Amino acid sequence: MAEALVIVESPAKARTINKFLGRKYAVKASMGHVRDLPKRKLGVDEEDFSPTYLVLPDKKKTLAELKKAAKGAKTVYLASDPDREGEAICWHLKAELEKDTDAEFYRVMFNEITKRAVQEAFEHPRDIDVHKVEAQQARRILDRLVGYKISPLLWEK
């Protein structure tokens, strides 16, 4: 069993990065977001704008596999894309996975999938950038509030 779990967004990245890191690491793909606002409800408190996130139905199996892999790991490295969406994906993954493991969580980022860039990222792990997560959440909440309220009016017209 691997000592560390690395979670990236795509299976293709997982295969490539796995070659760079070796047996000590298990590299898995989240396939993007694992949680989102509810599909058929507003999902945002209109008083304090707090979001309600749910695990996406089509990601339950993926999340279960990631939880199983995280249970056996001492460390979980979250390595999704280096942008606010990627940061939010890491934040959602950590929120779901830390319920079932005592592993330490770190964020690693690289702008290219090369052995040098990946190894450099793992030499400098960091925490999740909460400011980027909050920026993504604000955008998502605004999209939901505006879209959810205006769409019915647009359909009428």
Side-chain angles (χ1 to χ4, degrees):
M1 167 128 345
E3 290 179 32
L5 171 64
V6 180
I7 303 174
V8 296
E9 288 185 54
S10 80
K13 282 183 188 175
R15 285 188 294 275
T16 303
I17 291 167
N18 197 36
K19 292 176 191 172
F20 299 153
L21 295 176
R23 280 190 236 146
K24 178 177 151 178
Y25 298 86
V27 185
K28 306 279 184 188
S30 72
M31 309 292 288
H33 285 278
V34 294
R35 297 193 315 179
D36 197 6
L37 299 171
K39 196 168 189 138
R40 303 208 190 291
K41 289 183 184 175
L42 183 60
V44 177
D45 184 303
E46 292 185 77
E47 295 285 321
D48 67 3
F49 303 107
S50 60
T52 300
Y53 292 110
L54 302 174
V55 173
L56 296 165
D58 62 332
K59 295 297 176 80
K60 287 184 179 182
K61 182 180 176 189
T62 301
L63 191 56
E65 290 169 5
L66 293 173
K67 284 182 178 186
K68 184 178 177 183
K71 273 186 183 176
K74 293 178 184 168
T75 309
V76 176
Y77 293 97
L78 303 164
S80 62
D81 294 346
D83 56 18
R84 70 178 181 212
E85 286 294 322
E87 211 71 21
I89 289 169
C90 292
W91 183 77
H92 286 290
L93 283 166
K94 181 180 178 189
E96 286 298 317
L97 297 176
E98 70 183 353
K99 297 174 188 175
D100 299 313
T101 183
D102 292 329
E104 300 238 5
F105 285 81
Y106 296 100
R107 173 79 163 107
V108 292
M109 290 186 356
F110 33 85
N111 292 313
E112 58 187 38
I113 311 294
T114 63
K115 187 172 186 172
R116 184 189 56 74
V118 170
Q119 288 175 337
E120 174 78 16
F122 278 81
E123 289 172 13
H124 301 95
R126 62 174 182 78
D127 291 329
I128 292 171
D129 184 341
V130 179
H131 297 296
K132 283 185 182 177
V133 173
E134 289 171 348
Q136 189 276 342
Q137 279 190 328
R139 184 204 55 81
R140 186 71 183 101
I141 290 167
L142 275 171
D143 285 352
R144 177 56 66 97
L145 288 172
V146 172
Y148 209 82
K149 302 278 186 182
I150 291 179
S151 289
L153 291 173
L154 293 175
W155 294 334
E156 272 183 35
K157 306 295 177 204

